[in-house]
Each structure stands twice: as structure tokens, then as C-alpha cells.
Amino acid sequence: RWVAPMALPSAAPCPEAYRKVLQLLQGLVDEGRWPPTSPARSQVVRAGDGGTFSAVNPLLLSGTKNRRAAEFPELTAAVFELEMAIAPPGRSPSTFAAFNHNALFSPHTDSGAGLGQSSSLIVGLGDYCGGELVVEGTSSDIRYRPLEFDGWRQRHWTLPFAGTRFSLVWFSPA
């Protein structure tokens, strides 16, 4: 399991590498354009006033039609650029990303077409405190601290938080 070496207190400002993505995410919320959560994802979101959606990496899956990547091309491109900037050494670019806003996830393992997929990479963004990710009982502060874990095999969830919390999860189904 890989964890970024730098920790920031919750009052710390947004690091430069994350600013564009955070501004674009906050813009969707401010403009009332955040998409609704799918019924399947709603099964694991237990609270929060936001939601969750996914988009494909247009550089890797250019022939794949994806509603959210087409709807938010600037955000999608910026999110996959951010992945390359913060990923641990040797990590291949992911084919998908999940975008989460103020979503409090129940304990779960990821489902769908992910059997045999690569590890997930998650990071939190925004002005919030709390909201740690728990993986198999171990709590990690992911606010501007990327964490790699196996979302398909390891049970994980979100602890309660206060403030505006975004998280991004990159993954590549097999």
C-alpha cells in the first residue's frame, strides 16, 4: 500500500497541483451542474448533500462514449492530468475516475467489471476536516494525500466530516 509522504493540517490551503481541479469541481457545485448519483452508487452512499459520478480517460479510451466525459471535458482532462502528477512511481494511467462530492460511503468493496483490476488511487480535496478513508479498519487522512489501495478486495468507507469534501478515485477495470 502506497501513501503520499506529505500531510497537511485541515486548515492548510490547496496545494498548487490540485487548484485547477478543485476550482472546476467547485464550479459544478456552484452552478448546480453536479450530476445525480446513479441508483447503483446510491446503495453505498449513506449520507451527504452531494453525489458521485464516473468518467472515462479520453486519452486511453478515445472510442468509448461516456456521457460525463463528454459533458465535462475540461474537468475530465484535468483530473487525469492530476493523476499523473500525484501517482506513485510506476503506476500506469487509469482508464476511469470517480468524482465524489460530500458523499459519505458505507463500508463496501467495489463491484462491477473490476475483477482483476489494478489498484485504486484516491485523494481528497476541499475545505473540510474529518472524512478519513478507512480501509480494512485502518484510517487514513486522504486530504491532499493520495492513497493507493485495492478497492475490489479491501473493504473501505468514509468517516464523518464537516465542510466541503471532494474525492477522486482512479481505477482501471480488467
Side-chain angles (χ1 to χ4, degrees):
R1 179 178 97 150
W2 178 86
V3 178
M6 183 175 85
L8 298 176
S10 62
C14 175
E16 180 64 36
Y18 298 87
R19 283 195 187 132
K20 180 178 181 179
V21 169
L22 181 58
Q23 288 171 347
L24 292 168
L25 290 166
Q26 189 63 57
L28 284 185
V29 172
D30 293 346
E31 297 163 11
R33 296 177 44 221
W34 193 272
T37 301
S38 72
R41 293 289 284 173
S42 293
Q43 299 292 319
V44 295
V45 177
R46 68 179 186 252
D49 62 358
T52 178
F53 67 93
S54 297
V56 301
N57 185 337
L59 297 176
L60 297 179
L61 299 174
S62 58
T64 304
K65 291 187 181 188
N66 180 262
R67 178 177 171 190
R68 300 304 178 209
E71 190 174 358
F72 310 120
E74 183 180 11
L75 173 61
T76 300
V79 163
F80 285 103
E81 288 171 16
L82 176 61
E83 179 192 19
M84 291 297 85
I86 66 171
R91 181 180 171 89
S92 297
S94 298
T95 54
F96 287 84
F99 302 65
N100 306 308
H101 169 241
N102 284 354
L104 189 61
F105 287 89
S106 298
H108 68 283
T109 54
D110 297 331
S111 61
L115 297 175
Q117 63 97 55
S118 66
S119 63
S120 300
L121 178 66
I122 188 171
V123 70
L125 302 86
D127 186 15
Y128 67 93
C129 57
E132 292 84 359
L133 177 72
V134 180
V135 178
E136 294 290 331
T138 301
S139 173
S140 297
D141 179 2
I142 61 165
R143 185 172 181 268
Y144 304 117
R145 293 190 68 207
L147 173 72
E148 199 169 39
F149 71 104
D150 187 341
W152 269 258
R153 291 186 183 93
Q154 294 178 303
R155 192 168 141 102
H156 56 284
W157 62 94
T158 313
L159 293 179
F161 58 90
T164 301
R165 181 184 184 274
F166 295 97
S167 64
L168 299 169
V169 185
W170 293 273
F171 59 98
S172 295

